[in-house]
Amino acid sequence: MKPEDRIKIYNKIFKYTFWVLLITFLTLYFSQATGYYEFKQHKKVVYTADQIKKFEADVAAGKDVHIEDYMETTMKDYRNKTSDLGLSISETMGNIVKTGIESFFDAINKMVEE
């Protein structure tokens, strides 16, 4: 490879890296400047304060309280058709392997007993 070609490749890599870093910096800078992070934190504080008030009202009313009623649900359901298919294939393969291993050891057991 010629030295000129290497310089062109390095210049391309540098240029793309520079643009990616610049866009990343500007995105983070503007999100900080507009107060996006502070807004998200404020929403969490307000939610927590509301849940504390709800908890105190339920305790004062003599209701049966459980911590799960006042917590934010963070579990996400990632199931879809693809993951269900993968699980089905995995279970089928597991059953086939289990059956194969059991029959193999049954055959060995018969040979040893004879």
Side-chain angles (χ1 to χ4, degrees), residues 29-46:
Y29 177 77
F30 285 121
S31 69
Q32 183 271 335
T34 59
Y36 176 76
Y37 180 74
E38 286 80 12
F39 176 71
K40 295 288 276 183
Q41 293 304 317
H42 175 71
K43 281 178 51 176
K44 287 182 182 179
V45 168
V46 169

Side-chain angles (χ1 to χ4, degrees):
M1 183 181 288
K2 296 179 183 178
E4 298 87 26
D5 293 336
R6 283 189 179 168
I7 291 174
K8 287 180 183 179
I9 292 172
Y10 292 150
N11 285 340
K12 272 188 178 181
I13 292 171
F14 176 76
K15 183 171 65 171
Y16 288 126
T17 305
F18 173 77
W19 282 109
V20 167
L21 290 174
L22 179 66
I23 290 171
T24 304
F25 169 76
L26 290 175
T27 302
L28 292 173
Y29 177 77
F30 285 121
S31 69
Q32 183 271 335
T34 59
Y36 176 76
Y37 180 74
E38 286 80 12
F39 176 71
K40 295 288 276 183
Q41 293 304 317
H42 175 71
K43 281 178 51 176
K44 287 182 182 179
V45 168
V46 169
Y47 178 77
T48 303
D50 290 342
Q51 292 303 89
I52 290 172
K53 289 177 186 174
K54 181 180 171 186
F55 173 77
E56 289 173 349
D58 288 347
V59 169
K63 293 182 181 178
D64 188 25
V65 293
H66 297 284
I67 190 71
E68 295 85 21
D69 298 337
Y70 306 98
M71 301 291 292
E72 183 178 5
T73 57
T74 57
M75 287 190 55
K76 295 185 180 183
D77 185 18
Y78 293 107
R79 293 186 331 168
N80 56 31
K81 291 181 181 178
T82 306
S83 64
D84 290 341
L85 176 66
L87 178 61
S88 173
I89 292 171
S90 175
E91 288 175 345
T92 303
M93 289 177 58
N95 289 336
I96 291 170
V97 169
K98 180 181 174 186
T99 305
I101 290 173
E102 286 175 350
S103 63
F104 174 74
F105 282 114
D106 285 342
I108 291 177
N109 192 22
K110 287 180 183 177
M111 283 187 238
V112 169
E113 288 178 356
E114 292 179 358

